[in-house]
Amino acid sequence: MKNILSIDLEDYFCDLPFSSWSNYTSRVVPTTEIILELLTKYKVSATFFTLGSIAEQFPELIEKIVSLGHEIASHGYSHLDLRKINKDILENEIKKSIILLEKISGEKINGFRAPFFSISRNNLDSFDIIQKYFKYDSSIFPAKTPLYGIPSAPRFPYRFSSNHPLEKNPNGKLLELPPATLKIPLYGNLPIAGGFYLRFLPLSLIKYGINKLNKIEESAMFYIHPKDLDVNMPKIDSYSWHYYYNLKNGKKKFESLLKNFKFSSVRDTYLF
Ligand SMILES: [Zn+2]
């Protein structure tokens, strides 16, 4: 059973407002290199949900990712929270990112992930725009977390009807790829998909969750940021503890998953 590996390609300071980014020194190239080395070592392809602004600044990094056989998808241009912007701004972000990413990668951009997984029940109409430009999306987190999520959303990949993004329709245009969760009786869906959860949860629990999905023939959608493996991530005052929790074991845990499970990009899995 193949699982899906995705990387949200952004710098460690990209959760801050775009206007402040120039105050920080970029670390995205060396930290992405760590990921690329591991992917080459374990012969894994991945989907890089890439910020347009990062591609604009580091086109050689994108060219290298493409030359290694990975897929480039969109993460918007300037990492805006979809819950805080209107549809015109969203469309502008998406268009701008697609133009840059297609130009630099030389490939068609088929997929999107909202920054901060920022799709809630209140902004499902974002899909009016997302559907216009993409074949697949991976923005709806089917869990309840302090920062995001729609706990009742479908847990496994599905196509949705044009009337409602949470309703399945096998003939729907857009494929939704929810990040992996483990369903726990009386608790709900526990995110096991990567990022902070990779650093926070015991590896045995993450492995148990992926195995559980694979046993019922479902792929786990996994994600990681370059900063999740960055032991030297500079301190940002407004970042809470979860940005820094257990960074020292991020790489080791990620590598253990690559060693023990099969992963590939969305494109290689769904043959886009
Ligand atoms: Zn992001």
Side-chain angles (χ1 to χ4, degrees):
M1 187 75 214
K2 264 202 182 170
N3 299 291
I4 303 173
L5 181 62
S6 63
I7 287 92
D8 288 2
L9 189 56
E10 61 194 47
D11 236 311
Y12 65 97
F13 47 77
C14 289
D15 284 357
L16 298 171
F18 183 63
S19 56
S20 70
W21 293 3
S22 57
N23 298 327
Y24 298 88
T25 307
S26 174
R27 296 178 62 77
V28 73
V29 173
T31 48
T32 303
E33 294 283 357
I34 297 171
I35 293 178
L36 289 173
E37 269 172 37
L38 287 173
L39 301 186
T40 301
K41 182 174 172 187
Y42 292 96
K43 298 187 174 60
V44 168
S45 69
T47 295
F48 285 71
F49 289 102
T50 303
L51 280 181
S53 54
I54 293 287
E56 194 172 36
Q57 213 184 338
F58 303 105
E60 305 83 12
L61 179 63
I62 308 308
E63 284 161 13
K64 180 168 182 184
I65 291 168
V66 171
S67 74
L68 291 170
H70 304 298
E71 177 189 18
I72 302 292
S74 170
H75 195 38
Y77 178 80
S78 55
H79 215 253
L80 298 179
D81 186 323
L82 270 52
R83 294 163 295 197
K84 297 176 183 167
I85 58 174
N86 66 33
K87 282 206 226 169
D88 289 343
I89 298 178
L90 172 59
E91 186 152 24
N92 196 33
E93 278 279 311
I94 286 176
K95 274 200 218 160
K96 206 168 163 184
S97 75
I98 292 177
I99 290 169
L100 277 160
L101 295 173
E102 291 195 340
K103 189 172 159 227
I104 295 166
S105 71
E107 293 184 348
K108 175 103 179 68
I109 304 302
N110 291 318
F112 178 71
R113 172 171 290 147
F116 309 100
F117 294 108
S118 55
I119 298 276
S120 73
R121 279 193 174 274
N122 300 326
N123 67 339
L124 286 170
D125 61 350
S126 302
F127 284 107
D128 297 346
I129 309 293
I130 296 169
Q131 287 193 87
K132 267 169 75 175
Y133 295 93
F134 301 105
K135 289 184 179 166
Y136 70 87
D137 173 82
S138 181
S139 306
I140 302 179
F141 215 126
K144 187 174 187 242
T145 82
L147 300 174
Y148 48 73
I150 303 180
S152 61
R155 291 177 58 222
F156 310 132
Y158 67 105
R159 290 185 176 277
F160 60 66
S161 72
S162 46
N163 359 331
H164 203 287
L166 301 179
E167 279 170 20
K168 297 177 192 172
N169 177 344
N171 301 317
K173 193 170 157 256
L174 197 80
L175 175 66
E176 182 63 29
L177 300 168
T181 52
L182 172 64
K183 192 172 179 148
I184 298 180
L186 304 176
Y187 170 80
N189 300 336
L190 177 73
I192 52 159
F196 162 70
Y197 310 104
L198 171 71
R199 291 179 279 112
F200 183 70
L201 297 172
L203 198 51
S204 55
L205 182 63
I206 297 173
K207 288 180 175 172
Y208 171 79
I210 297 176
N211 273 321
K212 212 161 172 194
L213 287 169
N214 292 172
K215 264 190 205 140
I216 55 164
E217 299 291 309
E218 295 290 353
S219 302
M221 163 56 97
F222 201 81
Y223 73 92
I224 194 160
H225 305 88
K227 69 174 185 290
D228 288 314
L229 311 180
D230 186 0
V231 284
N232 296 314
M233 179 164 53
K235 191 86 191 118
I236 292 180
D237 287 343
S238 58
Y239 275 5
S240 63
W241 63 276
H242 70 263
Y243 282 88
Y244 298 93
Y245 185 83
N246 203 13
L247 288 170
K248 65 177 193 302
N249 286 315
K251 184 181 170 193
K252 200 168 71 187
K253 291 172 100 174
F254 180 53
E255 183 162 5
S256 175
L257 294 179
L258 294 179
K259 211 183 285 183
N260 287 286
F261 295 94
K262 284 190 177 128
F263 288 96
S264 63
S265 63
V266 177
R267 181 176 63 198
D268 289 352
T269 306
Y270 289 96
L271 305 176
F272 280 121

